[in-house]
Amino acid sequence: VALSTNLAPTVARSTTKIDNFSFQLADGWDLEKVASTDLVKWPIAATWDPAGNLIIAESAGVKQSVQEQLQSLPHRVIRLIDEDRNGTFDKRQVVAERLAFPEGVLCIGNDILVSAPPQIWRLTDSDGDGVCEGREIWHDGKTLTGCA
């Protein structure tokens, strides 16, 4: 879902329905569905890459403890691409797999920083194919409590 505005939010004035959900929006705000659940099911955080694609930290939807997830590494980062440039994403690309629970994502040039406590990872796409084959720990917090 994309949310945009040309005005500062004030008081909710209108209702927008998307699928089976209703959203109260302030004057000047628009909300529209830009991707289907076929492309992304459990998004956590998102950012834009330099090409205007949406980079999403995606949960695997598992019910595991933090410690189990640190072992199984079930989560991923994906890229949504709008190939026909009509404002709706129509292609999914897995950028990186086997991650601990990703709580944040940020593109810096062609690199992607992913916070997956207790680390922040720097993912690098060296050959330009959209898949990050390079992975290094950018910061290591070393400890992880139950709330990450």
Side-chain angles (χ1 to χ4, degrees), residues 113-122 136-141:
L113 294 180
V114 178
S115 62
Q119 287 100 13
I120 298 175
W121 291 87
R122 180 180 173 205
E136 66 178 303
I137 296 174
W138 185 75
H139 172 77
D140 191 347

Side-chain angles (χ1 to χ4, degrees), residues 53-125:
N53 300 308
L54 193 58
I55 304 296
I56 299 174
E58 184 181 55
S59 168
V62 296
K63 292 183 181 182
Q64 295 177 325
S65 70
V66 170
Q67 294 308 319
E68 289 172 314
Q69 290 181 51
L70 286 172
Q71 295 300 314
S72 66
L73 303 172
H75 310 290
R76 69 197 66 80
V77 173
I78 63 169
R79 173 179 285 114
L80 296 186
I81 303 164
D82 179 6
E83 288 188 310
D84 58 10
R85 298 292 187 206
N86 68 354
T88 302
F89 295 101
D90 38 41
K91 181 179 178 185
R92 169 193 172 98
Q93 179 183 37
V94 176
V95 172
E97 296 183 277
R98 300 203 34 79
L99 294 169
F101 192 78
E103 296 183 8
V105 61
L106 174 67
C107 288
I108 299 179
N110 290 326
D111 293 346
I112 302 171
L113 294 180
V114 178
S115 62
Q119 287 100 13
I120 298 175
W121 291 87
R122 180 180 173 205
L123 308 177
T124 305
D125 174 15

Side-chain angles (χ1 to χ4, degrees), residues 2-93:
L3 184 64
S4 63
T5 185
N6 293 324
L7 304 171
T10 54
V11 178
R13 305 248 190 236
S14 64
T15 300
T16 298
K17 286 190 162 213
I18 297 177
D19 297 334
N20 293 324
F21 300 97
S22 294
F23 301 89
Q24 294 289 317
L25 302 177
D27 277 345
W29 288 84
D30 295 310
L31 183 69
E32 63 185 84
K33 185 175 180 176
V34 296
S36 70
T37 55
D38 294 340
L39 295 178
V40 59
K41 189 167 184 179
W42 292 293
I44 299 167
T47 189
W48 302 103
D49 73 8
N53 300 308
L54 193 58
I55 304 296
I56 299 174
E58 184 181 55
S59 168
V62 296
K63 292 183 181 182
Q64 295 177 325
S65 70
V66 170
Q67 294 308 319
E68 289 172 314
Q69 290 181 51
L70 286 172
Q71 295 300 314
S72 66
L73 303 172
H75 310 290
R76 69 197 66 80
V77 173
I78 63 169
R79 173 179 285 114
L80 296 186
I81 303 164
D82 179 6
E83 288 188 310
D84 58 10
R85 298 292 187 206
N86 68 354
T88 302
F89 295 101
D90 38 41
K91 181 179 178 185
R92 169 193 172 98
Q93 179 183 37

